[in-house]
C-alpha cells in the first residue's frame, strides 16, 4: 500500500512540476505585455525548446530553464512505459504468462523462482496481460485489483495470498487463496520422515513429543497440518506441546478432544519447562521476533536437543547457522515458491479422486466431466478432497518405509490396505474435527448433517461397520490409483 501511495505522490509532484513553468512562463509574459493566448502559446514552446527570445523578466527565465527538464523527464518515463509494455507483451505471448503483484522487496525475492519472463508489478492500479496472476499484496489491495480488473482478467487464474479461513469462503473456480504459513507447514512435515522416531517411541511405550516455541499463524498451521500429515500407525501417540501465552487455538478448533494425538498448551515460557523441552523428540522455533536471542538462550540452557528454526526475515544469524544442533528452515522462500503457490497438480489430483469416487459408486463419468463434477462440490468437500490428495505423498513414504517400493497397487497385500484404510479414516476424522464437526446420531437415518456439522462415522476405526471399513480401504485404492502408483 505504501508503494501505491508513493507512486500517486510522485504523479502529483510531476503534475505540479509541469504547472510551475507553465504558470510562471505565462504570467511572466503577460506582465511583459503579451496577451493571454500568446503568452500561453510561448510558455508551451518552452517545453519543446521552441522559445528562443531573451527572457523579459525573472519569471520567464525560471520557466525557460525548468520546462525542458520536465519534458526530458516525461520522455524518459514514456520510454520506460513503452519498453515495459513491449516486454509484457513478449512475456504474455512467448514467456511464462505469469504476472506477480506485490511490494518491490518481495517481488525481488520471488522473481528468480518464477523465471526471467515473469511479469512483476508493484502498482495495484496498473493492469498487465497474463494467464495467471499471483497477488502478494495485502487483503485490501488484492480485492481492489480483482474488482477493478474483473472484466480484463476474464478466465485467467488468480492465486491470492491470504489465510486459510478465506479458502473456505470462496466458490470462484478461477480464484485460489494460498496461505504462506500453510504452505510452509505442509512442506515442513513432509520433509521430516517422523515415522522413524514415532516407531521408536511407540516401541518404548512413550508418546512422541513435539515442542513449539512461539505460535502465531505459523504455529497454528503447524498444528493444523501436523494432525493431518503425521499419521504413521493406528496406535501412535504424538503430543504437540506449545509454549506460548496465546492459547485461543483450542477455542477455535473446539472438537479436537477425540483426536488420538494431543495438543497441549502451556501457559509458561519454554525456559520455565526445561525438563519437558529436554524430553521432546523435536523442538520447533516458530516465534518470529527476537529469534537470535531465543536461539542463543536455548543452545545455552538445553543440552543435546536439536532445534528447527523457521527463519525470520529480520534475523541476524551469524555463527549459529553453522551449529550442528540448529536446523534452518527457510520458510518464506518455500512458502512463495512456484511449486507451492501454483497448486495446479494438487487440484488435478483432487479432481481425479472425486471422479474415481463417483465411478466407484456406479456413476457414469467421462473425462470431459472432471471440472464440471468438481464445480458441483461444496467448498468444504473440495477442501476435504485436497486434504486427501495431499496425504498421498505420506502414503507413498509409508509404503517405502514398510518395504513396498515400486510395488503396483494390485500387488499390495490386503493387510496393507487395511492399515492404510485405518490411517485414512484417522485423517478423514481429523479433517472434520479441525473443521469443528462432531459425532452424533441422526433421527432421519442419514449419516451426516452439514448445517449442524454432525457425522455418524466420526468414531474410532474399530467401531465402524465392515461396510464402512471397506469404504476406507476402497478410498485408499482410489487415492493410489489416481496417480497410477
Amino acid at each position: 500500500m505504501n508503494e501505491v501511495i508513493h507512486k500517486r505522490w510522485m504523479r502529483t509532484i510531476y503534475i505540479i512540476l509541469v504547472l510551475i513553468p507553465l504558470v510562471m512562463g505565462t504570467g511572466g509574459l503577460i506582465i511583459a505585455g503579451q496577451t493571454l493566448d500568446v503568452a500561453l502559446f510561448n510558455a508551451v514552446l518552452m517545453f519543446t525548446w521552441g522559445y528562443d527570445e531573451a527572457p523579459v523578466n525573472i519569471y520567464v527565465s525560471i520557466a525557460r530553464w525548468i520546462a525542458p527538464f520536465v519534458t526530458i523527464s516525461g520522455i524518459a518515463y514514456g520510454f520506460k512505459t513503452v519498453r515495459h509494455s513491449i516486454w509484457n507483451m513478449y512475456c504474455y505471448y512467448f514467456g511464462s504468462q505469469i504476472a506477480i503483484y506485490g511490494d518491490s522487496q518481495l517481488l525481488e525475492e520471488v522473481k528468480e523462482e518464477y523465471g526471467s519472463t515473469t511479469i512483476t508489478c508493484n502498482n495495484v492500479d496498473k493492469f498487465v496481460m497474463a494467464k495467471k496472476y499471483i497477488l502478494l499484496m495485502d487483503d485490501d489491495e488484492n480485492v481492489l485489483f480483482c474488482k477493478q480488473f474483473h472484466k480484463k482478467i476474464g478466465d485467467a487464474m488468480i492465486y491470492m495470498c491470504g489465510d486459510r479461513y478465506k479458502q473456505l469462503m470462496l466458490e470462484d473456480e478461477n480464484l485460489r487463496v494460498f496461505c504462506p504459513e500453510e504452505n510452509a507447514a505442509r512442506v515442513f512435515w513432509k520433509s521430516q520422515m517422523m515415522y522413524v522416531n514415532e516407531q521408536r517411541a511407540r516401541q518404548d511405550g512413550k508418546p512422541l513429543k513435539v515442542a513449539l516455541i512461539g505460535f502465531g499463524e505459523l504455529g497454528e498451521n503447524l498444528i493444523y497440518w501436523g494432525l493431518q500429515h503425521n499419521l504413521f500407525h493406528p496406535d501412535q501417540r504424538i503430543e504437540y506441546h506449545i509454549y506460548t501465552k496465546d492459547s485461543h487455538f483450542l477455542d477455535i478448533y473446539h472438537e479436537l478432544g477425540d483426536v488420538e494425538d494431543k495438543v497441549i498448551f502451556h501457559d509458561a515460557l519454554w525456559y520455565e519447562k526445561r525438563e519437558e523441552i529436554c524430553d521432546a523428540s523435536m523442538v520447533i522455533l516458530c516465534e518470529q521476533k527476537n529469534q537470535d536471542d531465543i536461539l542463543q538462550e536455548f543452545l545455552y540452557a538445553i543440552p543435546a536437543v536439536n532445534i528447527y528454526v523457521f527463519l525470520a526475515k529480520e534475523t541476524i544469524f551469524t555463527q549459529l547457522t553453522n551449529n550442528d544442533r540448529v536446523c534452518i528452515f527457510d520458510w518464506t522462500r518455500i512458502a512463495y515458491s512456484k511449486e507451492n503457490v501454483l497448486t495446479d497438480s494438487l487440484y488435478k489430483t483432487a479432481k481425479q479422486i472425486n471422479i474415481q469416487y463417483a465411478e466407484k459408486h456406479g456413476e457414469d463419468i467421462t473425462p470431459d466431466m472432471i471440472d464440471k463434477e468438481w464445480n458441483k462440490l461444496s467448498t468444504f468437500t473440495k477442501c476435504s478432497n485436497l486434504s486427501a490428495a495431499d496425504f498421498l505423498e505420506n502414503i507413498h513414504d509409508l509404503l517405502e518405509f514398510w518395504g513396498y517400493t515400486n510395488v503396483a497397487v494390485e500387488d499390495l497385500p490386503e493387510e496393507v490396505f487395511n492399515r492404510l484404510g485405518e490411517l485414512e479414516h484417522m485423517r478423514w476424522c481429523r479433517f472434520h474435527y479441525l473443521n469443528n464437526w462432531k459425532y452424533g446420531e441422526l433421527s432421519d437415518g442419514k449419516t451426516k448433517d452439514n448445517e449442524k456439522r454432525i457425522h455418524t462415522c466420526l468414531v474410532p476405526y474399530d467401531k465402524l461397520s465392515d461396510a464402512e471399513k471397506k469404504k476406507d480401504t476402497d478410498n485408499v485404492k482410489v487415492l493410489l490409483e489416481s496417480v497410477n502408483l
Side-chain angles (χ1 to χ4, degrees):
M1 183 65 75
N2 291 335
E3 292 199 34
V4 175
I5 295 174
H6 174 72
K7 286 181 175 293
R8 290 172 180 170
W9 269 107
M10 293 300 295
R11 193 181 302 121
T12 302
I13 291 172
Y14 184 78
I15 292 172
I16 292 173
L17 289 176
V18 171
L19 291 175
I20 287 175
L22 185 65
V23 172
M24 291 186 69
T26 302
L29 292 172
I30 289 175
I31 293 173
Q34 294 185 7
T35 60
L36 175 61
D37 58 334
V38 175
L40 183 61
F41 178 78
N42 286 325
V44 171
L45 287 178
M46 295 178 189
F47 289 91
T48 64
W49 294 274
Y51 184 80
D52 55 3
E53 298 180 13
V56 293
N57 53 43
I58 187 63
Y59 303 111
V60 175
S61 181
I62 293 174
R64 195 177 65 159
W65 278 102
I66 295 177
F69 286 107
V70 174
T71 301
I72 292 172
S73 300
I75 292 172
Y77 179 78
F79 177 77
K80 180 181 178 181
T81 302
V82 171
R83 181 173 60 86
H84 282 178
S85 297
I86 294 173
W87 174 247
N88 290 345
M89 292 296 290
Y90 172 83
C91 293
Y92 179 78
Y93 288 107
F94 305 104
S96 66
Q97 300 181 333
I98 298 173
I100 308 178
Y101 283 76
D103 65 68
S104 297
Q105 181 178 351
L106 186 55
L107 291 177
E108 190 66 28
E109 293 175 4
V110 304
K111 173 72 174 180
E112 184 176 349
E113 167 72 21
Y114 288 84
S116 60
T117 59
T118 299
I119 307 165
T120 57
C121 184
N122 57 14
N123 185 356
V124 69
D125 294 323
K126 183 178 180 181
F127 179 79
V128 296
M129 292 178 61
K131 293 292 183 66
K132 296 179 180 179
Y133 293 88
I134 301 174
L135 307 183
L136 305 181
M137 303 167 287
D138 62 39
D139 288 347
D140 292 338
E141 289 180 302
N142 287 339
V143 172
L144 175 61
F145 177 86
C146 292
K147 284 184 176 179
Q148 66 181 353
F149 297 123
H150 177 72
K151 292 183 178 179
K152 290 184 177 180
I153 292 171
D155 294 331
M157 287 296 303
I158 299 176
Y159 304 83
M160 181 189 297
C161 183
D163 58 46
R164 190 175 63 254
Y165 300 109
K166 291 184 177 64
Q167 291 175 331
L168 298 174
M169 301 177 185
L170 293 174
E171 297 288 349
D172 190 342
E173 172 63 12
N174 291 336
L175 177 60
R176 295 176 188 168
V177 175
F178 70 92
C179 173
E181 291 80 8
E182 177 184 68
N183 288 350
R186 288 170 52 243
V187 173
F188 176 77
W189 290 126
K190 288 180 181 180
S191 68
Q192 293 309 302
M193 296 185 293
M194 288 176 58
Y195 38 79
V196 178
N197 290 334
E198 185 280 324
Q199 184 184 68
R200 187 181 300 119
R202 180 164 31 84
Q203 291 172 347
D204 293 339
K206 299 178 180 178
L208 178 69
K209 294 183 179 180
V210 178
L212 272 66
I213 298 176
F215 199 56
E217 287 191 66
L218 271 173
E220 182 175 331
N221 279 280
L222 280 167
I223 298 301
Y224 183 90
W225 287 102
L227 289 173
Q228 294 180 79
H229 274 252
N230 299 332
L231 291 164
F232 315 116
H233 192 277
D235 297 329
Q236 72 177 48
R237 292 296 179 267
I238 300 176
E239 293 179 358
Y240 298 91
H241 294 260
I242 299 99
Y243 299 89
T244 180
K245 298 293 184 180
D246 179 15
S247 60
H248 77 289
F249 179 89
L250 294 179
D251 295 321
I252 297 175
Y253 302 93
H254 47 74
E255 297 298 330
L256 293 179
D258 292 329
V259 174
E260 301 84 355
D261 299 334
K262 298 304 176 184
V263 179
I264 304 167
F265 281 84
H266 299 270
D267 189 17
L269 297 173
W270 65 270
Y271 48 77
E272 298 173 330
K273 299 284 186 177
R274 291 190 302 276
E275 292 184 4
E276 293 179 2
I277 292 288
C278 290
D279 194 38
S281 299
M282 172 183 288
V283 179
I284 303 172
L285 175 57
C286 53
E287 176 61 58
Q288 296 294 286
K289 296 180 181 179
N290 304 318
Q291 273 195 354
D292 301 274
D293 295 338
I294 295 174
L295 184 57
Q296 292 179 77
E297 292 171 352
F298 178 91
L299 295 175
Y300 189 80
I302 308 295
V305 179
N306 292 344
I307 184 168
Y308 292 83
V309 180
F310 275 65
L311 193 64
K313 286 186 177 182
E314 66 272 14
T315 186
I316 54 171
F317 282 119
T318 53
Q319 74 276 10
L320 295 177
T321 56
N322 298 320
N323 192 301
D324 292 338
R325 293 173 55 199
V326 179
C327 306
I328 300 296
F329 189 72
D330 190 359
W331 76 271
T332 52
R333 179 187 61 80
I334 291 169
Y336 292 104
S337 68
K338 188 175 182 179
E339 177 184 3
N340 294 313
V341 171
L342 304 179
T343 52
D344 300 327
S345 60
L346 180 64
Y347 272 77
K348 181 179 179 180
T349 302
K351 291 178 181 180
Q352 187 62 38
I353 290 171
N354 179 56
I355 287 295
Q356 290 186 235
Y357 281 158
E359 290 177 341
K360 284 281 186 181
H361 289 84
E363 296 184 34
D364 187 15
I365 303 295
T366 57
D368 61 320
M369 297 172 63
I370 291 180
D371 288 334
K372 183 179 179 181
E373 292 298 312
W374 177 259
N375 292 332
K376 290 180 181 179
L377 302 178
S378 66
T379 302
F380 175 79
T381 306
K382 289 178 181 177
C383 289
S384 179
N385 281 348
L386 287 167
S387 175
D390 206 38
F391 190 56
L392 259 177
E393 191 170 332
N394 299 54
I395 292 178
H396 292 165
D397 290 342
L398 278 174
L399 288 173
E400 289 186 10
F401 182 60
W402 294 341
Y404 297 101
T405 304
N406 298 324
V407 178
V409 176
E410 58 271 15
D411 295 332
L412 290 172
E414 194 62 30
E415 58 266 24
V416 171
F417 285 117
N418 292 335
R419 177 64 55 82
L420 290 175
E422 188 165 357
L423 293 180
E424 165 59 15
H425 178 70
M426 291 171 66
R427 182 210 62 79
W428 178 87
C429 287
R430 292 184 181 194
F431 176 81
H432 280 73
Y433 288 137
L434 285 162
N435 285 276
N436 293 324
W437 284 63
K438 59 184 178 181
Y439 168 79
E441 296 290 343
L442 301 173
S443 59
D444 57 5
K446 294 182 178 180
T447 58
K448 63 181 178 179
D449 185 322
N450 290 324
E451 292 186 1
K452 295 181 179 180
R453 298 185 190 178
I454 294 175
H455 206 297
T456 60
C457 292
L458 287 171
V459 294
Y461 188 75
D462 57 7
K463 292 185 178 181
L464 291 175
S465 65
D466 290 340
E468 290 295 340
K469 289 179 181 179
K470 184 178 185 305
K471 183 178 179 181
D472 283 322
T473 56
D474 285 345
N475 286 347
V476 169
K477 292 178 182 178
V478 166
L479 286 172
L480 296 174
E481 290 168 356
S482 67
V483 291
N484 298 317
L485 180 68

